[in-house]
Amino acid sequence: LTWGAWMKQKNRHYTTARYYKPKTKFLLGLYSASGFLVYPALAAAIILSSWWMALSVYLVRMLVLAVIWKKAMKQLNEQDLWSKFIIFDLWMFLYYFIMAPSLLKKPAKQWK
């Protein structure tokens, strides 16, 4: 799978979002927003205010993610990924940063 093919596939997946249930849309949006905003907000809070407050918010978020990811990894029989979930969270920040522009453009419908 090439980078271009992967990007095309991801853009195609965005076209199905309108078929999701409202609750699912909300939860996916909440997860995406928290993943995209947490690291810049953490850096700003450390610089502009008390670092312990920023770190506390970050740790609460990571604890919630840890519980959810642990359960999902167990159901998918992927427990070996548990030790890497913080790295995956950092990757998701980069992923959102890269993919955010594609959310702003309307996907083209292509019929074969």
Side-chain angles (χ1 to χ4, degrees):
L1 189 64
T2 66
W3 176 258
W6 182 79
M7 288 291 285
K8 187 176 180 181
Q9 180 182 17
K10 293 313 267 179
N11 286 327
R12 214 173 41 244
H13 288 170
Y14 290 137
T15 64
T16 64
R18 64 181 161 186
Y19 301 110
Y20 293 178
K21 294 178 184 176
K23 181 182 175 183
T24 302
K25 286 182 187 180
F26 173 76
L27 291 173
L28 287 171
L30 185 63
Y31 176 72
S32 298
S34 75
F36 186 70
L37 298 174
V38 71
Y39 292 104
L42 180 63
I46 288 171
I47 293 168
L48 300 174
S49 65
S50 58
W51 63 269
W52 62 269
M53 181 77 106
L55 187 60
S56 298
V57 170
Y58 177 74
L59 290 175
V60 167
R61 178 183 178 271
M62 293 308 287
L63 180 63
V64 169
L65 284 180
V67 170
I68 293 169
W69 281 51
K70 181 81 171 178
K71 184 178 178 182
M73 288 176 187
K74 185 176 181 180
Q75 287 179 337
L76 296 170
N77 198 24
E78 296 290 348
Q79 293 94 330
D80 58 322
L81 298 176
W82 171 246
S83 63
K84 299 169 186 73
F85 99 91
I86 293 175
I87 295 169
F88 294 147
D89 189 59
L90 286 167
W91 162 248
M92 288 306 293
F93 170 73
L94 295 173
Y95 169 80
Y96 291 134
F97 190 76
I98 292 166
M99 295 303 290
S102 68
L103 294 174
L104 301 176
K105 65 180 182 178
K106 190 169 186 149
K109 291 184 179 179
Q110 295 180 352
W111 296 93
K112 292 186 179 186

